[in-house]
Amino acid sequence: MKLFKTLTPIIFCMISISCTPQKQKNLAESSIVLIPEPAQMSVGSDFFEFNAETCFVTTDQRQKKLFTLLTKKFVNSAGFAPPIVDTAPKSNFISLKEDAQLGEEAYRLKVTANYIEIKAGKNSGFLYALETLRQLLPPEIESLQPQPETIWTIPTLEMNDYPRYTWRGLMLDVSRHFFEKEYILQTLDRMALFKFNTLHLHLVDDQGWRIEIKKYPKLTEIGGFRVDQEDKHWDARSKNRPGDKATYGGFYTQEEIKEIVAFAHDRGITVVPEIEMPAHVMSALAAYPEFSCQGNAIAVPSGGVWPITDIYCPGKEETFGFLENILVEVMELFPSKYIHVGGDEATRTNWEKCPHCQRRMKEEGLETTAQLQSYFIKRMEQFLSSKNRILLGWDEIIEGGLAPGATVMSWRGYQGGWEASKEGHDVIMTPGDVYLNQYQGNPDYEPIAFGGYVPLNKVYSFDPVVDSMSMEQKRHILGSQANLWSEFITNKDESEYMLFPRLAALSEALWTPKEKKSWNDFAEKIVSLFRRFDVMNINYSRSAYAVTAQSRLNDNGTVTVKLQNEFPDSKIRYALNDDPFNASSQVYSEPITLNSTTTVKAAVYEDGKMVGNKLEKIFHFHKAIGKPVAYEPMYSKQYQGTGANNMVNVLRGSKNFHDGQWQAWLDDKAEITVDLQELTEISSVGVGSMENQGSGIYFPSHIAVDVSTDSKNYTWAGEISNSFENHGFVRLKEFTVTFEPRKVRWIRVKLTNLGSPPQGGGAWMFFDEIVVE
């Protein structure tokens, strides 16, 4: 592996000796891996080599600080410290020159064999140019240990680069699970590598208050900790009581916040704090219950809460004083012009019966609690505006009337951002397409995550702008950010796995001109990117390599299986049934046709090693395959599976209920009738089901099977009951009713819903296959 990593710079030196100029240029271009892809670049045929005599030239103290970010990496990995000098020598130097004509984040980079010249209008442009140099250097530049075999060369080139969007961010949820300061700093350095400029810190939620507020010490003393139930699924944790021993948690002191903000600033990143209101504040109300409507003592919850009814009381004037005092301390720590106030998912039932809230509504002439929430947000916007800050909130702040100076973060799809931009408000588009807490691969093989599916190529193809927007609306779209909610992310390794490489894909989606983007080109960069991640000791995901199987039931009863992963031209190897599966297995070249029960195993191999998870999928042929099916009532339009034959098509669903293989009912009962088309001897009927209690999906409480020879007179064949168990993890189970063998033609499966689950609301039933044996 070490030889492989150091091969590229060695090739660089050989090129200048033994290759023709055209061959040199082609090899140089193929060796360049830059993410995000620059706006304009032309590659030369020579190379610049960094060594102990290479000088960084500047007289500006701010620029010296920028140079230090790169020179420190040479100290660690190369064993030498390039000097920073005031006057340029004749050659072997890097210089910075200001060019007021360039945009705030734009830069021009010229690399010759003798020197490197960077031009920019602002410090951020110089910084991004240096990060580009960092990526041009061999991956070993990221090493914390000396790499004596590495030659520190980069190709000659000229580059004119600038971002497409001004807001290129990442949101880290440090409330649901707390992450130490050191990991935040590490993440900031990695964000800078990909030219991100905004870190949104979700510092407050029901499950933890994570920032020291000196005026209200109980916010962290009480609100910063909860009962440790980390051994249970997030959605299966029991309710805590005030006074229960709380040992899980943590918070950032104000000194630590200052360190984070300064570290980010040195890397061109603004840290935007989020202080939730009026909902997602049980941690605050556990410490200061007097600012809720009822004033009841509550505990910080250890897991999921829904609906969120313990929220601030806008009828009490003291509530606004409390929040303003908090924000004053927050603004002293964060120079960001934006202050995020949340504003989402408030269940306002307590406001409807609270005498304080009702009095406020009467005094202000408000007719609905939605208008009362708008009043709440508008008051906070006025306060922040008086301090020369801009209120930022999730798209619920639009409801009841949008505060005049507010900026909207659109998360429930694109509609909120569309509406806000239409009204002339700035918008950050951050819909589910960039929610990195969702699955990036087959949930059957991935760590637990939220139920959506956001693979690498989906992040890469994301665009914050909607085609239906006018040009004026598009000007109000500042950009986007990835969101990493941490209900299921408990530590650093899990966080890295969810962030990388998807964060790299988003960087190119937000920086690179649209016409320059190419998924195929990005895919070719992944191998080199992963080598860099290896040196950086990042626990990145290889899920994009994982093989998936797309299947189709043919009219003749066979099944065609197509194997693929996210990358074009991947060399997939596969084996069937008991055939050995290894790096020498057959290379997949065309769809596979199956006519009997078959186990398919597949994966990508590189250098004899498996890359990504192995697919192992059983295609179970049974007596009902392809037979006519009738439904009563029909399945939900939201979850139709593959249509009428979904329940008898051999194809099974995964733990992702959005994978297109599941049919679902929200009804109390459902009946599915299968016509075997001739008398057939059978002895069992199985029904494949899913349970995902956090998403309101439950196993059926009862399954009964009736059979018939004439479609009119049915006789009971068997039944089974299922008792409810509180269980947060996604589970797949086949419920099988067995009976004495008999010849039948029609089978009717009667499914009974759980009814009202303990968490409240309706219960969904999800099914993927009826298996008849």
Side-chain angles (χ1 to χ4, degrees):
M1 180 60 77
K2 186 174 183 180
L3 176 62
F4 185 67
K5 287 182 177 178
T6 57
L7 187 59
T8 301
I10 294 172
I11 289 175
F12 285 169
C13 295
M14 292 170 61
I15 289 170
S16 62
I17 297 171
S18 59
C19 296
T20 65
Q22 185 59 46
K23 286 182 179 178
Q24 290 176 23
K25 186 170 183 179
N26 290 342
L27 284 169
E29 287 176 344
S30 67
S31 69
I32 292 178
V33 174
L34 290 175
I35 300 175
E37 183 72 18
Q40 299 171 1
M41 179 176 65
S42 59
V43 181
S45 57
D46 211 337
F47 301 92
F48 178 89
E49 181 178 345
F50 289 83
N51 54 44
E53 284 71 47
T54 303
C55 296
F56 287 68
V57 183
T58 184
T59 58
D60 187 292
Q61 291 301 316
R62 295 172 304 165
Q63 294 178 358
K64 287 182 179 180
K65 200 170 186 180
L66 290 176
F67 274 147
T68 302
L69 297 177
L70 189 56
T71 59
K72 282 182 178 178
K73 293 190 177 297
F74 278 107
V75 171
N76 292 331
S77 59
F80 59 79
I84 300 176
V85 300
D86 295 341
T87 306
K90 292 183 179 179
S91 63
N92 198 14
F93 65 88
I94 298 96
S95 67
L96 306 182
K97 295 183 179 180
E98 292 191 9
D99 185 343
Q101 301 300 312
L102 294 175
E104 184 170 343
E105 296 185 299
Y107 66 92
R108 288 184 178 144
L109 174 63
K110 182 178 183 180
V111 180
T112 73
N114 296 316
Y115 66 89
I116 298 173
E117 179 183 82
I118 298 171
K119 292 183 179 180
K122 299 286 184 180
N123 256 25
S124 55
F126 290 126
L127 173 70
Y128 296 142
L130 291 172
E131 293 294 348
T132 295
L133 291 180
R134 176 182 171 186
Q135 285 200 31
L136 287 169
L137 283 159
E140 287 75 17
I141 192 66
E142 310 293 343
S143 177
L144 299 178
Q145 304 298 325
Q147 303 293 313
E149 298 178 27
T150 302
I151 301 173
W152 307 102
T153 54
I154 64 174
T156 55
L157 54 79
E158 291 193 27
M159 185 182 299
N160 181 26
D161 202 12
Y162 46 85
R164 184 180 175 203
Y165 291 103
T166 59
W167 187 292
R168 306 178 305 281
L170 167 65
M171 187 282 295
L172 289 180
D173 171 9
V174 295
S175 173
R176 272 55 175 267
H177 284 97
F178 180 64
F179 294 84
E180 298 290 346
K181 175 198 70 178
E182 288 71 23
Y183 178 62
I184 304 302
L185 301 181
Q186 197 174 48
T187 302
L188 284 164
D189 184 67
R190 294 163 179 175
M191 291 173 63
L193 177 66
F194 297 111
K195 301 181 176 66
F196 284 94
N197 63 4
T198 305
L199 174 64
H200 167 184
L201 279 182
H202 186 76
L203 292 163
V204 174
D205 216 298
D206 293 310
Q207 295 80 10
W209 185 285
R210 305 298 181 209
I211 178 172
E212 177 189 19
I213 302 296
K214 294 185 181 296
K215 190 174 182 66
Y216 302 107
K218 289 191 290 185
L219 285 173
T220 47
E221 291 171 2
I222 296 175
F225 296 87
R226 64 182 187 238
V227 177
D228 190 340
Q229 298 190 47
E230 293 301 299
D231 59 327
K232 301 176 184 176
H233 185 280
W234 183 260
D235 293 318
R237 298 179 181 181
S238 56
K239 184 176 181 180
N240 299 329
R241 297 168 299 180
D244 287 349
K245 187 177 181 180
T247 58
Y248 177 87
F251 63 92
Y252 306 111
T253 67
Q254 293 199 358
E255 289 305 308
E256 287 177 317
I257 291 291
K258 291 175 184 177
E259 184 180 349
I260 289 169
V261 169
F263 188 91
H265 179 265
D266 289 346
R267 288 153 182 79
I269 297 171
T270 299
V271 184
V272 176
E274 181 180 359
I275 307 297
E276 278 272 17
M277 59 185 78
H280 288 284
V281 294
M282 291 178 69
S283 57
L285 296 178
Y288 297 96
E290 61 267 32
F291 300 115
S292 67
C293 289
Q294 298 170 331
N296 296 333
I298 62 171
V300 179
S302 295
V305 177
W306 194 261
I308 302 171
T309 56
D310 287 305
I311 65 179
Y312 288 134
C313 177
K316 297 176 181 178
E317 192 61 26
E318 297 85 356
T319 300
F320 293 100
F322 172 69
L323 293 172
E324 288 173 4
N325 289 335
I326 290 170
L327 290 178
V328 165
E329 291 196 37
V330 169
M331 287 185 284
E332 289 173 353
L333 297 169
F334 295 92
S336 164
K337 69 178 180 179
Y338 292 97
I339 303 294
H340 203 306
V341 300
D344 61 312
E345 297 184 329
T347 301
R348 301 181 290 262
T349 50
N350 287 341
W351 292 2
E352 294 171 359
K353 51 193 176 186
C354 170
H356 305 289
C357 291
Q358 293 303 307
R359 184 177 65 249
R360 176 79 73 184
M361 291 174 66
K362 185 175 181 181
E363 291 172 353
E364 299 294 334
L366 308 175
E367 296 181 358
T368 66
T369 55
Q371 292 176 337
L372 180 58
Q373 182 167 344
S374 176
Y375 165 84
F376 187 115
I377 296 298
K378 286 176 179 176
R379 276 198 60 168
M380 301 316 301
E381 191 275 332
Q382 290 170 1
F383 174 74
L384 290 172
S385 182
S386 73
K387 306 295 183 182
N388 296 315
R389 304 297 181 99
I390 297 173
L391 180 143
L392 177 60
W394 303 109
D395 56 45
E396 284 95 333
I397 67 173
I398 298 172
E399 298 168 6
L402 188 53
T407 294
V408 172
M409 192 165 273
S410 185
W411 73 279
R412 296 178 299 178
Y414 295 83
Q415 187 59 32
W418 198 97
E419 293 174 7
S421 63
K422 182 71 172 177
E423 295 180 23
H425 291 264
D426 286 343
V427 172
I428 296 103
M429 281 289 195
T430 179
D433 293 351
V434 288
Y435 268 50
L436 303 190
N437 54 309
Q438 299 183 86
Y439 286 105
Q440 56 193 311
N442 187 335
D444 296 347
Y445 303 98
E446 290 286 317
I448 186 171
F450 267 84
Y453 182 54
V454 181
L456 184 65
N457 60 23
K458 186 173 184 178
V459 177
Y460 187 84
S461 62
F462 170 72
D463 195 321
V465 167
V466 179
D467 289 340
S468 62
M469 288 178 170
S470 66
M471 290 304 297
E472 181 61 27
Q473 283 178 281
K474 291 177 181 179
R475 280 192 281 269
H476 283 290
I477 306 303
L478 303 181
S480 181
Q481 67 182 33
N483 293 327
L484 189 64
W485 301 102
S486 66
E487 287 92 335
F488 302 116
I489 299 170
T490 64
N491 57 52
K492 167 184 176 292
D493 284 347
E494 292 172 359
S495 180
E496 291 177 348
Y497 185 86
M498 301 304 278
L499 287 176
F500 300 102
R502 290 186 290 181
L503 201 61
L506 183 63
S507 76
E508 193 151 305
L510 299 179
W511 178 282
T512 304
K514 191 172 184 178
E515 63 275 10
K516 289 274 297 202
K517 285 180 59 185
S518 165
W519 168 250
N520 288 355
D521 290 347
F522 181 81
E524 290 182 3
K525 301 176 188 178
I526 285 293
V527 173
S528 295
L529 178 65
F530 284 1
R531 289 206 298 270
R532 188 172 294 267
F533 284 169
D534 286 334
V535 179
M536 296 172 76
N537 198 29
I538 294 176
N539 183 44
Y540 60 92
S541 168
R542 297 169 177 82
S543 301
Y545 281 104
V547 178
T548 59
Q550 290 188 344
S551 317
R552 183 184 71 249
L553 178 64
N554 303 314
D555 293 339
N556 62 1
T558 62
V559 170
T560 299
V561 180
K562 180 182 179 182
L563 302 178
Q564 62 184 26
N565 64 14
E566 293 193 57
F567 300 129
D569 304 321
S570 285
K571 185 176 286 187
I572 297 171
R573 296 186 181 273
Y574 76 98
L576 305 180
N577 296 322
D578 295 328
D579 290 346
F581 180 63
N582 51 46
S584 300
S585 293
Q586 186 172 348
V587 175
Y588 173 81
S589 59
E590 61 183 3
I592 307 162
T593 300
L594 308 177
N595 57 17
S596 62
T597 297
T598 306
T599 300
V600 177
K601 295 164 284 188
V604 172
Y605 279 85
E606 286 188 358
D607 299 325
K609 295 181 179 179
M610 188 183 298
V611 183
N613 293 319
K614 178 180 77 171
L615 171 75
E616 186 163 343
K617 194 174 183 68
I618 299 174
F619 294 86
H620 184 191
F621 283 67
H622 54 87
K623 294 181 178 181
I625 292 174
K627 304 302 183 182
V629 182
Y631 302 90
E632 179 56 41
M634 285 296 289
Y635 40 79
S636 168
K637 291 182 179 179
Q638 291 177 256
Y639 305 103
Q640 302 184 55
T642 58
N645 75 339
N646 184 86
M647 297 299 291
V648 289
N649 66 358
V650 184
L651 316 179
R652 307 307 294 266
S654 70
K655 291 180 180 178
N656 174 18
F657 60 88
H658 294 293
D659 68 5
Q661 300 295 343
W662 293 97
Q663 292 179 330
W665 286 260
L666 196 55
D667 306 271
D668 293 335
K669 295 178 183 293
E671 290 186 357
I672 305 173
T673 303
V674 180
D675 179 3
L676 298 178
Q677 297 183 301
E678 63 182 2
L679 287 175
T680 305
E681 184 173 271
I682 66 171
S683 59
S684 70
V685 176
V687 184
S689 183
M690 168 192 284
E691 185 166 73
N692 182 346
Q693 294 180 7
S695 297
I697 303 169
Y698 296 84
F699 287 143
S701 62
H702 190 260
I703 303 99
V705 175
D706 294 342
V707 295
S708 173
T709 58
D710 60 7
S711 80
K712 297 177 181 178
N713 300 299
Y714 281 85
T715 59
W716 175 87
E719 62 187 298
I720 54 175
S721 295
N722 175 57
S723 299
F724 170 78
E725 296 177 10
N726 188 21
H727 199 291
F729 294 96
V730 179
R731 295 190 292 173
L732 305 181
K733 184 175 181 179
E734 189 166 298
F735 293 93
T736 301
V737 177
T738 59
F739 40 84
E740 290 296 319
R742 64 195 68 186
K743 287 190 174 183
V744 303
R745 175 170 171 178
W746 283 272
I747 302 168
R748 179 170 293 165
V749 181
K750 297 188 289 188
L751 304 156
T752 303
N753 203 325
L754 174 69
S756 298
Q759 290 85 345
W764 283 92
M765 297 189 295
F766 272 67
F767 305 106
D768 66 344
E769 187 85 355
I770 290 178
V771 179
V772 179
E773 301 286 12

